[in-house]
Amino acid sequence: MQNVFLGVFVSLLGNSLIGSSFSVMKVAHDSNKDGGSYLRIPTWWAGTLLMILGEAGNLVAYTLAKPSLISPLGAISVVVNVPVGWLVLGERPSMRNMAGCMMSIVGGYGIVWVVASGSVDRPTMTAAEFEALLFQPAFMVFLAISFGESIDLIWSGRRTVMTYVMVCSLLGGVSVLSIKAVSSFVLLTLQGDNQFLTLIPFTTLPILGFTLMLQIKYLNMALAEFGTPEVVPIYYVTFTSCAVIGSSILYGDLSETSHQNVAVFVFSFLLTAAGVWLVSRGSARKEETRARSASLGQSPYANPEELEEDMQSLL
């Protein structure tokens, strides 16, 4: 159980660094008005370093705790970006932002409580143990659906937000499960129990690299064409769902959890997802208002009533 809570702490810290990196990188984007290389901007390097450290923290967290516990905690990066954006960018949070943050925090607590209370502490597994779990019929069906549907969506050529996000989520679910396995192999090997004597680790590593590459590619495509407000809430729900379902099948994360606790887990997840949506929508409305003002070079409101209406929309 100690490893579980340590994994939660490391994940919270890692996602806090990732959330902070968004605002720091935005400073770099705003300062690069001439369109030059970001490599010469110190704040871009600072944001990149924060993101790398955060992702490294998540990698460690997956070694210590179950993917069904760590994946939903990714919402913390969205929540942390609100106060950091206020401090770094002067973006004062709206009531919508604050409500979304509180919902995400409460939902995240519910997820941690359910998974931790019904968790069997098994931070690492050998290659032989992973191979035995890998060839379960139910997980073979999960893999077939994940890869088959991803290939179908890619080949369809459809350029919709759901197409991009579902490719990211289906492959992201596989990559999360692979990260858990690979990190276990590496940790055991460093402890003197070499796990790289069979084909399983060398098969898992390319799958991890391939799924991560496509996941990043299609996530960037989604953000470029549709923007954060649409992509982030949908991606959070679909990616976390795929990760939790896959981890429950492969590692049996919720196998010893009561029906009541499963209901609490689902409610907490939906509450967190709603919070992420509120934070994303609140940020989007502020960006729209700021862009509107900048384009006119003056106050964009023709009368006080219009100003009051727009301010109410931010709340």
Side-chain angles (χ1 to χ4, degrees), residues 2-18 53-65 70 73 76:
Q2 183 178 2
N3 285 325
V4 172
F5 287 109
L6 180 58
V8 170
F9 173 77
V10 173
S11 178
L12 292 176
L13 180 60
N15 284 304
S16 296
L17 292 176
I18 292 171
L53 290 175
E55 294 295 351
N58 276 334
L59 180 61
V60 174
Y62 280 116
T63 305
L64 297 169
I70 301 302
L73 296 180
I76 297 300

Side-chain angles (χ1 to χ4, degrees), residues 4-313:
V4 172
F5 287 109
L6 180 58
V8 170
F9 173 77
V10 173
S11 178
L12 292 176
L13 180 60
N15 284 304
S16 296
L17 292 176
I18 292 171
S20 301
S21 73
F22 296 155
S23 293
V24 176
M25 283 187 168
K26 189 171 183 180
V27 172
H29 286 294
D30 292 343
S31 64
N32 191 28
K33 300 184 184 300
D34 58 355
S37 174
Y38 287 105
L39 299 178
R40 61 180 177 79
I41 303 176
T43 50
W44 183 87
W45 284 105
T48 301
L49 179 61
L50 286 174
M51 183 165 288
I52 291 173
L53 290 175
E55 294 295 351
N58 276 334
L59 180 61
V60 174
Y62 280 116
T63 305
L64 297 169
K66 297 180 177 183
S68 59
L69 175 58
I70 301 302
S71 296
L73 296 180
I76 297 300
S77 63
V78 180
V79 173
V80 168
N81 189 43
V82 173
V84 174
W86 187 8
L87 294 173
V88 175
L89 301 169
E91 296 178 341
R92 186 174 181 179
S94 65
M95 292 300 296
R96 184 193 295 264
N97 291 137
M98 300 303 295
C101 288
M102 290 302 300
M103 291 169 65
S104 297
I105 291 171
V106 173
Y109 175 81
I111 291 170
V112 171
W113 179 79
V114 169
V115 178
S117 63
S119 178
V120 177
D121 194 10
R122 189 178 66 176
T124 58
M125 69 182 70
T126 64
E129 290 173 335
F130 179 69
E131 184 176 2
L133 295 173
L134 187 63
F135 290 102
Q136 299 175 85
F139 186 67
M140 289 290 99
V141 172
F142 174 82
L143 278 183
I145 293 175
S146 297
F147 284 117
E149 186 62 24
S150 297
I151 293 172
D152 178 64
L153 289 171
I154 292 172
W155 279 97
S156 70
R158 292 191 296 269
R159 300 175 62 179
T160 65
V161 63
M162 282 305 300
T163 298
Y164 294 145
V165 169
M166 282 307 301
V167 171
C168 295
S169 302
L170 290 167
L171 296 179
V174 176
S175 66
V176 162
L177 304 179
S178 302
I179 287 173
K180 172 71 175 177
V182 170
S183 58
S184 294
F185 301 155
V186 171
L187 182 60
L188 289 173
T189 300
L190 292 175
Q191 293 174 348
D193 185 7
N194 191 355
Q195 298 298 307
F196 291 86
L197 300 176
T198 64
L199 289 176
I200 288 295
F202 296 101
T203 304
T204 309
L205 277 169
I207 292 175
L208 174 59
F210 175 74
T211 53
L212 281 176
M213 180 184 66
L214 286 180
Q215 184 183 355
I216 293 171
K217 174 184 176 181
Y218 278 89
L219 181 58
N220 285 329
M221 292 171 66
L223 290 171
E225 292 197 30
F226 299 98
T228 302
E230 284 185 81
V231 174
V232 169
I234 299 173
Y235 178 63
Y236 174 78
V237 173
T238 54
F239 167 73
T240 305
S241 298
C242 291
V244 170
I245 292 171
S247 187
S248 298
I249 295 172
L250 182 60
Y251 301 124
D253 285 5
L254 301 177
S255 59
E256 299 185 9
T257 304
S258 66
H259 295 303
Q260 292 85 350
N261 281 353
V262 170
V264 173
F265 180 91
V266 173
F267 174 78
S268 299
F269 169 60
L270 293 176
L271 183 64
T272 305
V276 171
W277 180 81
L278 280 177
V279 172
S280 300
R281 293 302 300 172
S283 299
R285 299 301 293 268
K286 286 190 290 185
E287 288 294 332
E288 290 171 3
T289 302
R290 182 185 299 144
R292 185 180 176 187
S293 300
S295 65
L296 295 176
Q298 56 183 3
S299 175
Y301 305 101
N303 52 66
E305 289 76 14
E306 187 180 356
L307 171 60
E308 181 178 357
E309 180 183 353
D310 210 353
M311 289 300 295
Q312 287 296 324
S313 72

